[in-house]
Amino acid sequence: MNTPHDIGGMHGLGAVPWQTDEPVFHADWERTIFSIMLALAGQGRFNADHFRSAREKVPAHRYLTSRYYELWLQAVERLVADVVAPDEIERWAEQLRQDPDVPVPRALDADLADALERGLREGLSTAGPVPHPRRYAVGDPVRTRNVHPPGHTRLPRYARDKEGVVDALYPAFPLPDRADDGDYRPEYLYCVRFAAEELWGDSAEPGCEVQLDMWESYLRPVDDPPSVTLRQEESR
Amino acid sequence: MSAESKPPDRDYLVPEAEVELRVKALEALVVEKGLVSTDALDRISAHYEDEVGPRDGARVIARAWVDPAFKERLLADATAACEELGIKGLRGEHLRAVEDTPEVHNVVVCTLCSCYPWAVLGLPPSWYKSPEYRAKVVLEPRRTLADDFGFPVPEEVTVRVWDSNSELRYFVIPQHPEGTEHMSEAELAELVTREAMIGVGPVTAT
């Protein structure tokens, strides 16, 4: 999706709000929504790509005027909408507005707490096997595809239709564009190096490079014929 | 240079009190419906507040500085090398450590969201997740490091930006600072800041 989350290279945002000493969470509500997200994801209710995609679906005009964890709230609300209806949330919120001290439900489940904490400690790889060989090797020149999918993708706008060189081979992971729709077939991943001049042209700073990870679907060999769209433009 | 500890000043659409209320409402509902339990939520936040953090990453860097064989393993397979030190977990399943040299300076970002090596560095700081950092550091890494972090990179040194757009998680092995030969591994670890492991700050022998 070409939405404001894909923000690399955007102007007009001002200085980086750098702080050297900040708490892990700045408020209780940040802690709560963080933990709700991980507790639900840890039980397999959604995966990392569903969650990223849900954040990307926050309306474009709201994305940049939402706090970081407020985006998490909006995403989680979307992802649990089948079991927690938006009007239920609003009803509860209204009760709390009327009486901030209204008792909220509490429940203990030591087995669940143990299992989820174990998940944090162990992690969970999504890498998997692919039944055919890789298409590219280290050192191969590659060109990224010029695509603007309306759904989730991890190919940033600033790196589309750009030439780079394969710098490293990584395991195969589910293609995010498909994983958001529940298709978790792994696809080979590559680390690709781009010269800043290739990405930013005359605006590039000297002596800079950008490394991006590219699924095979995001790449084509540089000597591949150009896409149909490009051919049509060239024949004009 | 150090940054003042103050929250970013921005115009958000929804008042924070309203967001807080809605999170509380959501918490009430997911607990009421049995989707999560209160103790599970507490354990998850405690894990990131009390257990993992940049001190873990600093241990990895200090070990790499004093043990060349470990550094080789770290560069070859950071996930396995970190596990040697008991460091592993969520968002640390596929790690890559990238090494600063006299020729190349590395800096890490996630322009599309906020991907970060949680298992090694803990949760990312606000500035790392900010639209400002994500937007600027890929386009103008030198200017961003110099102007926003007071950390200019000499022009003869290549700046390599790692945009974490996959399940790989990156962190930087800064150069071993000179004048620290007498220091122990534990003392060296004290010198390693979170900024240095993201690539936006120096390691200085104090």
Side-chain angles (χ1 to χ4, degrees):
Chain A
M1 294 174 82
N2 290 349
T3 55
H5 80 281
D6 186 355
I7 203 170
M10 187 181 281
H11 287 126
L13 289 159
V16 176
W18 179 39
Q19 297 172 264
T20 46
D21 189 19
E22 60 171 308
V24 174
F25 300 109
H26 297 75
D28 283 343
W29 70 266
E30 291 189 353
R31 181 183 292 108
T32 305
I33 190 61
F34 173 83
S35 303
I36 290 174
M37 190 291 267
L38 283 190
L40 295 172
Q43 295 175 81
R45 192 161 281 277
F46 46 81
N47 63 36
D49 283 303
H50 296 138
F51 181 56
R52 291 191 189 111
S53 177
R55 276 184 284 171
E56 291 158 14
K57 291 190 181 90
V58 169
H61 66 276
R62 269 207 72 177
Y63 187 91
L64 288 171
T65 53
S66 295
R67 296 160 192 84
Y68 177 75
Y69 280 118
E70 192 182 339
L71 293 172
W72 282 45
L73 168 65
Q74 293 170 72
V76 171
E77 283 193 30
R78 176 182 291 272
L79 290 166
V80 299
D82 57 330
V83 277
V84 181
D87 61 336
E88 287 183 287
I89 301 175
E90 183 44 40
R91 268 203 304 278
W92 248 106
E94 185 52 30
Q95 278 192 62
L96 289 162
R97 241 175 249 125
Q98 301 302 326
D99 176 10
D101 298 321
V102 63
V104 287
R106 291 181 56 82
L108 300 182
D109 184 339
D111 290 342
L112 178 63
D114 286 345
L116 289 172
E117 190 176 9
R118 203 158 48 240
L120 305 182
R121 291 184 191 286
E122 295 296 317
L124 181 66
S125 171
T126 54
V130 175
H132 56 79
R134 284 179 185 273
R135 187 162 186 195
Y136 305 104
V138 170
D140 282 357
V142 284
R143 182 167 278 276
T144 56
R145 291 184 186 276
N146 186 4
V147 286
H148 296 267
H152 180 56
T153 186
R154 296 293 285 180
L155 174 55
R157 264 180 288 183
Y158 78 84
R160 292 176 190 166
D161 199 22
K162 304 294 183 193
E163 193 175 323
V165 175
V166 173
D167 182 58
L169 308 180
Y170 288 155
F173 294 90
L175 179 70
D177 311 48
R178 285 197 305 244
D180 185 37
D181 298 325
D183 177 349
Y184 306 125
R185 275 176 298 161
E187 189 180 277
Y188 290 119
L189 186 71
Y190 301 83
C191 189
V192 178
R193 179 173 301 168
F194 298 89
E197 289 76 10
E198 171 71 7
L199 301 174
W200 311 112
D202 293 346
S203 303
E205 289 183 339
C208 295
E209 301 167 346
V210 176
Q211 305 265 156
L212 276 151
D213 301 339
M214 293 286 168
W215 278 265
E216 214 158 73
S217 289
Y218 295 170
L219 300 172
R220 61 184 177 86
V222 285
D223 51 6
D224 240 21
S227 69
V228 173
T229 322
L230 283 176
R231 257 203 307 273
Q232 285 168 346
E233 278 171 6
E234 280 161 5
S235 65
R236 252 180 232 151
Chain B
M1 181 171 168
S2 71
E4 281 178 51
S5 192
K6 66 178 177 60
D9 182 23
R10 282 212 217 97
D11 294 325
Y12 294 114
L13 191 67
V14 178
E16 185 166 6
E18 191 58 31
V19 177
E20 188 180 352
L21 206 80
R22 210 164 167 92
V23 169
K24 206 169 174 186
L26 178 67
E27 179 188 12
L29 282 158
V30 290
V31 169
E32 191 175 77
K33 290 170 185 271
L35 302 178
V36 304
S37 64
T38 314
D39 51 349
L41 297 180
D42 292 342
R43 289 268 283 282
I44 290 168
S45 57
H47 182 76
Y48 290 102
E49 288 190 290
D50 306 332
E51 293 197 35
V52 302
R55 298 335 306 158
D56 297 316
R59 283 200 291 132
V60 177
I61 304 305
R63 175 65 58 90
W65 284 343
V66 300
D67 182 346
F70 177 79
K71 189 168 94 174
E72 254 180 60
R73 295 198 295 279
L74 182 63
L75 288 168
D77 183 347
T79 317
C82 287
E83 201 169 341
E84 288 180 35
L85 303 186
I87 295 169
K88 63 179 283 194
L90 193 70
R91 313 290 185 252
E93 296 91 346
H94 300 277
L95 296 166
R96 180 161 175 198
V98 293
E99 184 185 19
D100 283 350
T101 66
E103 291 79 34
V104 177
H105 176 77
N106 296 284
V107 56
V108 179
V109 64
C110 172
T111 64
L112 295 176
C113 52
S114 48
C115 295
Y116 191 76
W118 292 6
V120 186
L121 299 184
L123 297 187
S126 294
W127 63 260
Y128 179 88
K129 303 178 288 193
S130 71
E132 291 86 349
Y133 180 69
R134 290 159 50 197
K136 291 172 82 167
V137 81
V138 278
L139 172 59
E140 300 179 310
R142 290 183 189 276
R143 187 177 301 178
T144 307
L145 293 175
D147 294 356
D148 296 58
F149 294 94
F151 179 53
V153 177
E155 60 183 42
E156 67 274 15
V157 176
T158 297
V159 176
R160 190 172 289 158
V161 182
W162 299 79
D163 188 350
S164 319
N165 66 324
S166 78
E167 296 313 321
L168 265 287
R169 292 292 184 275
Y170 296 92
F171 62 99
V172 176
I173 311 174
Q175 291 187 76
H176 190 161
E178 287 178 18
T180 57
E181 296 74 17
H182 60 287
M183 295 177 84
S184 70
E185 189 178 330
E187 288 168 333
L188 285 169
E190 291 295 317
L191 303 181
V192 183
T193 61
R194 173 158 69 185
E195 279 77 7
M197 293 181 281
I198 303 174
V200 301
V203 176
T204 46
T206 46

